[in-house]
Amino acid sequence: YLGCYYRISLKLSDLIDPGFIANYVKRNTLVALSADRFIDADDVFAIDGRGTLILSVCKDTYETLGLVGRQAKFPLQRDTRYVIEIDLLADCMDPMKKYFQRIKSRFDAVLDEPVEFLVGFYDKQSGTPTTFDLPGASAVELQSERHHLQGISVPRIDNELVGVSKRSDVWVEQAQELFEWIGLAASCSQAIASNACNSQISTYSVPQPNSLADIEVHTFSGLISAQAISSVAKELANSPRQNEVYICVWGYEDAPVSWKLYEHGFLTSGENIAAA
């Protein structure tokens, strides 16, 4: 499911080139994110895997660029950051049409410097990685680690936490506690070990009730397709094993979008995390 992703230097005008759209955006699923840029300080660009080019830009860039966008929800200070979305699959992206010509001319005039991108290219049906053969692209292998942790305090799942349609305040509190534990487990934190009792180091305590168990933690780092994560989750859910399995996904802190394509902002520390 996971495979590799790619790193390549491209201009924004390359992303709207008709050949690029036909060969990569339309043919399969392409996800791209500008690398080494900060969502709270820099201009950040992405392609969301559904054919939309997203520009999250500062006020000066927005006013100079002259393309229609909307005020960003983050940061909370108004009128400091803007989001521009361009549907690369729309009929108006025909090179003969004024809409396309307007975008290209503004990219060439204002955002003409090459940008380093991380690119994932996936089969549209299966979500498995496929070869991204654009000249200049270099493949990057995912980093993987496996850890076996012994004597871990594992919270017991309350039946009321599963399959509830109406979420009470108690449900929210329990879900937040479990979410925090999953994040600590994925980080191999010693705070969830049964002998972690030094309050000078950490005030965290594992939710009650809990029991002791050994756990396996598998981590994969890099650009991974949402469909691949979904496939892994379904395979684990349908496996005959009796043990509990959790998936924790860290999105890129400086991506302009987050879970279900909601707008993402840095705020205090850039969390972009989901768990199941």
Side-chain angles (χ1 to χ4, degrees):
Y1 296 122
L2 303 179
C4 66
Y5 61 103
Y6 297 85
R7 195 174 183 109
I8 187 172
S9 181
L10 295 169
K11 294 184 177 181
L12 285 191
S13 57
D14 294 330
L15 302 181
I16 63 171
D17 180 83
F20 180 86
I21 294 175
N23 292 327
Y24 301 105
V25 180
K26 288 184 177 180
R27 192 177 75 184
N28 280 309
T29 298
L30 184 136
V31 177
L33 174 65
S34 53
D36 308 321
R37 290 176 176 240
F38 303 103
I39 192 70
D40 60 335
D42 301 321
D43 296 329
V44 175
F45 317 111
I47 297 178
D48 68 358
R50 302 181 183 183
T52 301
L53 173 60
I54 302 170
L55 289 70
S56 178
V57 298
C58 63
K59 181 179 180 180
D60 290 344
T61 301
Y62 182 73
E63 292 178 344
T64 306
L65 193 58
L67 298 176
V68 177
R70 68 175 186 277
Q71 194 171 101
K73 295 179 180 179
F74 306 100
L76 299 181
Q77 299 93 332
R78 294 179 59 84
D79 200 31
T80 58
R81 193 165 192 86
Y82 292 83
V83 176
I84 302 169
E85 295 185 353
I86 300 170
D87 185 355
L88 300 178
L89 305 179
D91 293 338
C92 55
M93 289 303 290
D94 186 321
M96 301 303 294
K97 295 189 175 181
K98 290 184 178 180
Y99 179 79
F100 174 89
Q101 294 169 1
R102 167 70 175 169
I103 292 174
K104 187 176 188 311
S105 67
R106 300 315 299 156
F107 280 180
D108 290 340
V110 180
L111 298 172
D112 61 336
E113 293 295 324
V115 177
E116 197 77 11
F117 280 95
L118 305 179
V119 176
F121 192 49
Y122 312 102
D123 181 85
K124 189 168 290 187
Q125 301 300 322
S126 66
T128 56
T130 188
T131 303
F132 182 66
D133 56 4
L134 192 68
S138 57
V140 182
E141 296 294 330
L142 296 178
Q143 297 180 355
S144 63
E145 295 181 6
R146 179 176 178 176
H147 303 275
H148 179 76
L149 307 182
Q150 296 178 315
I152 300 301
S153 297
V154 180
R156 297 177 184 173
I157 303 300
D158 192 323
N159 290 333
E160 296 180 357
L161 195 62
V162 182
V164 176
S165 57
K166 188 176 182 180
R167 300 174 180 177
S168 64
D169 292 341
V170 174
W171 185 96
V172 171
E173 182 179 355
Q174 291 179 342
Q176 289 175 338
E177 290 176 347
L178 179 60
F179 182 73
E180 184 176 14
W181 183 90
I182 294 171
L184 290 169
S187 303
C188 298
S189 172
Q190 288 300 309
I192 60 174
S194 61
N195 58 357
C197 57
N198 191 338
S199 60
Q200 294 180 345
I201 298 176
S202 173
T203 58
Y204 174 80
S205 59
V206 175
Q208 297 287 346
N210 60 66
S211 58
L212 292 182
D214 295 346
I215 66 173
E216 292 280 344
V217 178
H218 301 258
T219 61
F220 299 90
S221 303
L223 189 60
I224 305 172
S225 76
Q227 195 167 350
I229 295 171
S230 177
S231 297
V232 171
K234 289 177 181 178
E235 184 173 308
L236 291 172
N238 295 327
S239 66
R241 69 179 64 192
Q242 299 297 316
N243 297 332
E244 295 171 355
V245 178
Y246 300 102
I247 294 179
C248 186
V249 181
W250 275 275
Y252 283 87
E253 291 182 351
D254 297 295
V257 292
S258 183
W259 178 255
K260 292 185 177 180
L261 300 181
Y262 291 128
E263 184 180 325
H264 179 57
F266 199 85
L267 289 182
T268 55
S269 57
E271 291 94 342
N272 189 359
I273 307 172

